[in-house]
Amino acid sequence: MKLIFEKSVPGRHCDLLGKCDVAAAELPQKYLRATPPELPELSEVDVSRHYTELNQHVHGVNCGFYPLGSCTMKYNPRVDEEMAALPGFTAVHPLAPEAHTRGCRAVLDTAAQYLCEISGMDAMTFQPAAGAHGEFTGVLLIKQYHDARGDTARRKIIVPDSAHGTNPATAAMCGFEVVNIPSAPDGCVDLDALKAALGEDTAGLMLTNPNTVGIFDENILEITKLVHEAGGLCYYDGANLNAVMGVVRPGDMGFDCIHMNLHKTFATPHGGGGPGAGAVGCKEFLKPYLPASALMDGAGKKQVRAFAGNFLVVVRALTYLMTLGCEGVPEAAKNAVLNANYLMQRVKGTFEPAFDRICMHEFVLDLSEYKKETGVSALDVAKSLIDYGMHPPTMYFPLIVHEALMLEPTETESKQTLDWAADVFRKLYALGKTDSETMHAAPHHAQIGRPDEVKAARNPIVRWYNDSETETVRGAGN
Ligand SMILES: *Cc1c(COP(=O)(O)O)cnc(C)c1O
């Protein structure tokens, strides 16, 4: 499809407003452009069609199945958007006097109260704008806690090798040394490896449970106890709370602080890059170190972001929680787990699960044997799914499984959709055995098939260049 600049026709425009009937104010010369901006010239219908066409080239939850593991691409009820669009929420100024923002304060306080209840924490801040930002905030709490006690020799954060990449990155950004510990063959924390890593230099442990292979670590109480006995604190990466919300609480598992991605579990559409919210909760003793907007008084004065963070994401989360209620929240979690197990069982016998046991909200397929046999990789299968109108699962993550495909169907999909998805996987399994070439070349019906992903990530071209500029950009190796 053409860029909007390429669709431009000189002189074409759109007359919506009547002629201006007041005298034009002259701008001082120094504020005027020397040359007019290069804007596309189009009619309203051209613009409307352009964006509709763009819309048709992306895959969202509203287009079809989107089992992107770890990302919880579930359907977000419309009512959450409606609440977030209320003028009383959208038009409020962050510096408005307290008397004008009591409703907004009530939203923040109530959401904090519910999320503390769900996570088993005592205080909460909504300042962080995303999961990784929440981790950064949470690990800084751990750092300040040790520093305030003069316990400054604690320089190491333990991270299992199945962790999300943001965990070691966060620990390093907070100035800690990262100690990676291997997982046991069952995908859980290797207790011996943990014991060996613990010591007087341990600041804490960062853990996701259920972990990134979709398994609930049954030794969790033992794990958090061991860390506490060594003098460290336990950080729960609750980016995805979909399997446990309303069922089991990280606070009861022994964790001291947590972040929750409101944009994953609690109804803010995501995938396009934000805005999100990484709500950070902590136990009472860490409360003094929470950023300034922390609710439930007595919090410190620090800030990690302006004002109360992405407020409208909190409005959506609160609406979601209020509409589900204390019965709907655990029901959603249980259905997420049920759907993942159902799909895993329906696919099994073709592509095999990396860990053949009951999973939580997601599971990982291991295609390494299949690839040896057929030459068809996890990437080839992922690309082939696009031709069926299915978004590919998360690929090549977690790193401990080679040729991994990680599926998270979520609770908002019907049995029919899961059956259809399982059939697609089974068909592709058979196709790879007879016609691997077709799969190496997939997708066959997408706008963009196989971009150079490294180049797209490292040197993205995110703006339009005119002809002469394009030459300069291309020439520079971009
Ligand atoms: C998504 C995710 C993150 C990062 O969250 P962002 O909002 O993308 O920064 C961290 N940990 C886990 C386990 C996740 O699934």
Side-chain angles (χ1 to χ4, degrees):
M1 107 176 238
K2 281 186 173 174
L3 298 177
I4 198 162
F5 291 93
E6 293 162 343
K7 291 179 180 169
S8 175
V9 179
R12 189 175 289 179
H13 61 283
C14 156
D15 281 319
L16 269 189
L17 302 176
K19 286 261 174 290
C20 181
D21 57 2
V22 292
E26 291 297 324
L27 276 178
Q29 193 62 33
K30 64 176 176 181
Y31 294 133
L32 296 181
R33 286 172 178 273
T35 49
E38 282 185 81
L39 295 174
E41 296 178 76
L42 297 157
S43 66
E44 182 171 334
V45 64
D46 294 334
V47 175
S48 173
R49 285 185 184 152
H50 177 75
Y51 284 104
T52 305
E53 192 183 351
L54 270 180
N55 178 13
Q56 287 163 348
H57 292 320
V58 292
H59 186 98
V61 173
N62 293 328
C63 309
F65 192 41
Y66 202 148
L68 190 66
S70 196
C71 298
T72 316
M73 306 306 283
K74 60 184 179 184
Y75 175 74
N76 301 301
R78 278 291 162 270
V79 64
D80 304 332
E81 291 305 314
E82 278 170 34
M83 294 306 115
L86 289 175
F89 293 139
T90 55
V92 68
H93 192 281
L95 294 176
E98 207 244 315
H100 294 186
T101 57
R102 284 193 191 134
C104 297
R105 300 285 314 172
V107 166
L108 292 167
D109 284 337
T110 315
Q113 196 189 327
Y114 290 177
L115 289 167
C116 278
E117 174 88 29
I118 287 172
S119 59
M121 296 290 148
D122 300 317
M124 183 89 25
T125 175
F126 292 118
Q127 272 206 342
H133 196 194
E135 285 174 37
F136 180 70
T137 308
V139 172
L140 283 182
L141 299 187
I142 294 179
K143 186 171 191 197
Q144 291 177 73
Y145 167 80
H146 290 309
D147 287 352
R149 290 156 45 96
D151 203 355
T152 49
R154 297 190 178 273
R155 306 290 344 136
K156 293 183 180 167
I157 294 271
I158 301 170
V159 182
D161 61 0
S162 66
H164 195 272
T166 49
N167 292 184
T170 293
M173 275 189 71
C174 292
F176 287 108
E177 192 183 315
V178 181
V179 182
N180 234 296
I181 55 166
S183 302
D186 64 359
C188 295
V189 171
D190 182 331
L191 286 180
D192 291 330
L194 175 64
K195 283 179 196 154
L198 286 168
E200 286 176 359
D201 53 2
T202 302
L205 165 82
M206 294 181 84
L207 199 71
T208 307
N209 193 31
N211 62 17
T212 57
V213 293
I215 292 172
F216 189 89
D217 200 317
E218 283 156 17
N219 296 321
I220 193 61
L221 292 175
E222 174 76 7
I223 292 167
T224 52
K225 186 167 148 251
L226 286 169
V227 175
H228 284 148
E229 279 170 3
L233 297 187
C234 299
Y235 183 87
Y236 185 91
D237 176 345
N240 184 334
L241 221 64
N242 224 38
V244 296
M245 59 174 179
V247 179
V248 58
R249 311 191 316 161
D252 299 335
M253 297 182 210
F255 288 92
D256 305 294
C257 55
I258 172 178
H259 84 271
M260 288 169 279
N261 283 12
L262 302 190
H263 47 289
K264 284 182 181 167
T265 310
F266 301 102
T268 283
H270 56 291
V280 170
C282 66
K283 289 279 175 73
E284 190 69 34
F285 73 98
L286 288 174
K287 200 161 90 174
Y289 311 112
L290 271 182
S293 83
L295 301 157
M296 302 174 172
D297 38 67
K301 291 270 177 288
K302 302 162 191 84
Q303 279 192 279
V304 293
R305 199 176 186 279
F307 306 110
N310 285 330
F311 174 66
L312 295 176
V313 178
V314 184
V315 174
R316 289 185 184 89
L318 179 62
T319 309
Y320 182 75
L321 288 170
M322 291 179 90
T323 48
L324 263 68
C326 60
E327 282 158 16
V329 168
E331 192 185 329
K334 287 173 191 171
N335 283 334
V337 171
L338 178 66
N339 277 2
N341 279 285
Y342 181 74
L343 185 58
M344 182 172 80
Q345 291 303 325
R346 284 281 275 108
V347 173
K348 213 171 119 178
T350 58
F351 300 120
E352 295 296 343
F355 302 94
D356 191 5
R357 51 185 284 183
I358 289 180
C359 66
M360 291 291 119
H361 57 301
E362 60 194 359
F363 61 94
V364 177
L365 297 172
D366 182 349
L367 273 65
S368 38
E369 283 305 314
Y370 183 74
K371 186 182 173 193
K372 262 186 230 149
E373 199 187 312
T374 62
V376 172
S377 65
L379 178 72
D380 294 333
V381 173
K383 293 288 184 188
S384 302
L385 291 168
I386 296 172
D387 287 332
Y388 284 88
M390 190 192 307
H391 193 285
T394 297
M395 306 179 295
Y396 298 98
F397 177 79
L399 303 175
I400 55 173
V401 177
H402 304 292
E403 296 301 322
L405 285 181
M406 180 199 224
L407 285 90
E408 180 182 7
T410 83
E411 74 281 10
T412 56
E413 296 299 337
S414 65
K415 179 171 176 295
Q416 282 75 14
T417 302
L418 300 178
D419 283 333
W420 166 81
D423 289 344
V424 171
F425 274 95
R426 301 181 83 89
K427 255 186 235 165
L428 290 177
Y429 177 83
L431 180 65
K433 295 207 163 195
T434 55
D435 180 8
S436 54
E437 282 316 308
T438 297
M439 292 182 69
H440 292 319
H444 301 276
H445 308 292
Q447 277 287 314
I448 297 173
R450 299 203 179 208
D452 180 335
E453 287 171 19
V454 175
K455 201 166 162 186
R458 300 266 158 84
N459 298 307
I461 300 175
V462 291
R463 54 158 288 215
W464 174 76
Y465 295 96
N466 67 28
D467 289 344
S468 59
E469 283 174 325
T470 307
E471 265 165 40
T472 323
V473 173
R474 299 254 157 83
N478 275 322

